[in-house]
Amino acid sequence: PGRFGKELRFEYPNKADRAKFITHKLEKLSLSVDQFDIEKLAQSTENKSYEALTMLIDNALLKARINGQMMTQKFIEDALDEDVRHII
């Protein structure tokens, strides 16, 4: 019964919840969701938290802005390679 006496369990969001979250984040950025393959992104981010998804989208947006372009599927996939798959 000390400070490590409780065990809190949580589950990562499932594919449908990740797809909804990604859609919501892209709509919040005023991007057309039709230009993105949401299902592919949700599949590629299995076992990732909402915070990790937010960081992924923010990183992709930053790279797009640095290049002076609109964010596209390619920027998100590049961010997936770097942040999730750790491929440079």
Side-chain angles (χ1 to χ4, degrees), residues 32-85:
S32 175
V33 180
D34 298 337
Q35 298 177 1
F36 297 91
D37 187 355
I38 302 296
E39 289 300 315
K40 181 179 179 183
L41 294 173
Q43 182 68 35
S44 299
T45 55
E46 187 171 351
N47 293 326
K48 298 299 173 195
S49 65
Y50 290 126
E51 183 63 29
L53 295 174
T54 299
M55 190 172 65
L56 175 75
I57 292 171
D58 290 345
N59 188 12
L61 183 61
L62 179 65
K63 288 181 186 289
R65 286 184 177 169
I66 287 172
N67 290 320
Q69 299 175 2
M70 292 289 294
M71 188 166 75
T72 61
Q73 180 84 20
K74 180 170 179 358
F75 285 110
I76 295 179
E77 289 178 5
D78 289 346
L80 265 170
D81 284 344
E82 290 179 15
D83 299 337
V84 175
R85 299 179 190 124

